Amino acid sequence: MTDVTVAAPAKKASGAFNLETVTWVQHWTDSLFSFRTTRDPGLRFQSGQFVMVGLEVDGKPLVRAYSIASPAWHEELEFYSIKVPDGPLTSRLQKIKVGDQVLVGRKPTGTLVLDGLRPGKRLYMIGTGTGLAPWLSLARDPEVYERFDEVIVTHTVREIADLNYRELFEEELPKDEILSEVIGGKLRYYPTVTREPFKTQGRITDLIASGKIFEDLGVPPLDPAVDRLMLCGGPSVLADLKAMLVERGYEEGSIASPGDFVLEKAFVET
């Protein structure tokens, strides 16, 4: 990792990566943190996509897939990460400071994009842990609100302290000078906690199966005719959610063949 200051001219990596400068770091808990970097002017992505992000270690890139947490229109790139003490990448990445440099892939990709969904009335963005990251991007994208009448972001975590970005959804976005007008009353935020007492407790799969989430939100149960879903999180919860949706008559979509739901499991585990 090159030791530079923000004011230093940015050096660009060759090949598949740009070398970007860290502009902001936020440590939420002992196991979660976020950071922002500069954004190469040539990088284009759709809200909800991911890129490879990491560091140069022993002269070689050590990277993992990270959903871009900032919206496509933002001048910086934001990422949301776990910290694994002995993880090959995150044990190093969690130590970055403003002015340090990280590798950011030049080719964004991923299935969590609006074009993978058929038109609908209500959009659920269901995330567990750092699987919230793509919703941080999409929830700040005006196109989402042009396509859907209601947008429901769920975030399931183990402990209340893990509900990072809660303030963004509950306070900042509704008051945002520009976005609040676009969002109107369309955005709903539904946090759930699995290991501590909280107003909404339990795994998101159980809350869907029991119907509690719909009762809490005051909306009808899932209906493939009007409800669309995006899913991001751990492999086991994604498998359970997909099985539940298929059982209800939902069809998985892609950019090539839009459907009723899309899912993405590309998020950092080490």
Side-chain angles (χ1 to χ4, degrees):
M1 191 162 61
T2 308
D3 185 15
V4 298
T5 63
V6 177
K11 192 175 74 173
K12 290 301 169 187
S14 58
F17 302 96
N18 290 316
L19 203 54
E20 301 295 354
T21 302
V22 177
T23 60
W24 172 85
V25 181
Q26 171 73 47
H27 291 276
W28 305 103
T29 67
D30 290 342
S31 59
L32 293 162
F33 75 110
S34 295
F35 62 99
R36 293 188 199 123
T37 73
T38 52
R39 174 180 176 177
D40 187 275
L43 183 71
R44 298 283 182 270
F45 69 92
Q46 292 182 60
S47 296
Q49 288 188 313
F50 67 84
V51 288
M52 304 306 290
V53 176
L55 300 167
E56 192 171 292
V57 179
D58 297 328
K60 297 179 181 178
L62 176 63
V63 296
R64 297 288 186 270
Y66 273 89
S67 290
I68 303 172
S70 44
W73 51 263
H74 206 279
E75 62 184 14
E76 292 186 325
L77 300 174
E78 185 168 335
F79 302 98
Y80 181 33
S81 180
I82 59 169
K83 305 175 189 177
V84 180
D86 56 354
L89 176 59
T90 62
S91 63
R92 294 175 168 92
L93 197 61
Q94 65 182 282
K95 297 172 184 174
I96 59 172
K97 296 178 173 62
V98 171
D100 288 343
Q101 292 191 317
V102 297
L103 299 171
V104 176
R106 292 177 172 168
K107 293 186 177 179
T109 187
T111 54
L112 297 178
V113 292
L114 293 174
D115 289 345
L117 295 172
R118 296 171 178 142
K121 177 183 177 183
R122 189 177 295 110
L123 174 63
Y124 287 88
M125 294 190 272
I126 298 179
T128 62
T130 53
L132 178 73
W135 316 153
L136 296 170
S137 176
L138 284 156
R140 289 180 276 184
D141 190 324
E143 190 178 354
V144 170
Y145 303 97
E146 291 171 11
R147 294 202 190 191
F148 294 93
D149 296 334
E150 194 168 13
V151 178
I152 297 167
V153 173
T154 81
H155 189 202
T156 301
V157 297
R158 293 175 181 177
E159 299 173 349
I160 295 170
D162 300 333
L163 286 173
N164 314 139
Y165 294 98
R166 183 180 177 185
E167 196 173 290
L168 173 75
F169 288 104
E170 293 185 340
E171 298 177 29
E172 293 173 19
L173 286 179
K175 297 175 184 174
D176 187 275
E177 276 186 42
I178 300 169
L179 291 174
S180 61
E181 190 174 324
V182 176
I183 293 170
K186 291 185 175 184
L187 179 62
R188 312 279 298 278
Y189 171 64
Y190 190 77
T192 72
V193 176
T194 61
R195 296 187 182 179
E196 277 189 306
F198 188 63
K199 60 181 180 181
T200 42
Q201 281 184 261
R203 298 177 79 231
I204 192 65
T205 44
D206 296 335
L207 294 165
I208 291 173
S210 68
K212 180 164 173 41
I213 181 174
F214 312 115
E215 183 183 322
D216 289 344
L217 292 169
V219 297
L222 289 178
D223 180 354
V226 294
D227 293 319
R228 300 291 169 258
L229 295 96
M230 290 177 153
L231 319 173
C232 189
S236 60
V237 72
L238 286 183
D240 292 346
L241 285 166
K242 179 175 178 177
M244 292 174 73
L245 293 176
V246 170
E247 192 178 307
R248 286 167 168 75
Y250 278 77
E251 294 181 5
E252 186 173 355
S254 66
I255 296 174
S257 179
D260 307 314
F261 74 96
V262 289
L263 60 84
E264 186 74 79
K265 58 180 180 292
F267 72 105
V268 175
E269 295 179 302
T270 52

